[in-house]
Amino acid sequence: MANAAPVPANDNLARSLRGFGPLGILAIFVILLIGNSSLVPFGALLVLAWVRWSHTPWRVFGYVGPKIWRGTLAVGIIFGIAFKFFMKAIVMPLFGADPINLAFHYLTGNRAALPLAIWTMIVVAGFGEETVVRGFLFERFGKLFGSSL
């Protein structure tokens, strides 16, 4: 794989984890077992340990900072607000969607439910799921099947 960093010659653990031998397959199964349960953030922590022990570069998993933080943040905020208004004012009425998201309407005025909702959105989905699925699984499938798929 073009993004793979060279493994030190004497590091058999890194070679085993990067490969698809018994230890590599075991690591995949353990990470997926934990990463696809209610313990997704712990699966992501296992992925971070796997990245460190296998000497895999962070960029393979998408952990790369933007070159211009302020510009990226400003464009993201402006685009996010504009996209929200566009979807709410134009797209959703065209499809006859309800203007209130009833699935999450219980959060309105319910301060007791907010910590769990924020934990779920940021830690479980934003960090855990993205690290396990988009980072680890995509890297492993890319290594196994190549870039043809």
Side-chain angles (χ1 to χ4, degrees), residues 10-141:
N10 60 352
D11 198 345
N12 291 331
L13 176 64
R15 289 186 194 286
S16 297
L17 286 172
R18 279 191 178 186
F20 290 97
L23 187 59
I25 298 291
L26 179 65
I28 292 170
F29 280 130
V30 168
I31 288 170
L32 290 181
L33 181 68
I34 293 174
N36 283 329
S37 67
S38 60
L39 303 173
V40 175
F42 297 111
L45 291 175
L46 286 176
V47 169
L48 298 183
W50 183 90
V51 167
R52 184 178 183 97
W53 293 334
S54 68
H55 299 290
T56 303
W58 290 104
R59 69 181 178 278
V60 172
F61 289 85
Y63 284 116
V64 179
K67 293 181 185 188
I68 304 170
W69 279 96
R70 288 183 183 171
T72 302
L73 187 62
V75 168
I77 290 171
I78 291 168
F79 177 77
I81 291 170
F83 184 70
K84 176 70 174 181
F85 280 129
F86 174 74
M87 292 297 289
K88 236 4 186 172
I90 296 171
V91 175
M92 289 177 62
L94 285 175
F95 288 105
D98 192 359
I100 297 173
N101 186 346
L102 296 177
F104 296 101
H105 192 63
Y106 74 95
L107 290 172
T108 305
N110 187 357
R111 290 184 181 180
L114 284 179
L116 181 61
I118 291 169
W119 168 266
T120 302
M121 287 182 256
I122 294 174
V123 177
V124 174
F127 168 67
E129 186 178 332
E130 293 297 319
T131 301
V132 171
V133 176
R134 290 193 191 216
F136 184 73
L137 276 183
F138 280 17
E139 190 277 336
R140 297 282 72 204
F141 284 153

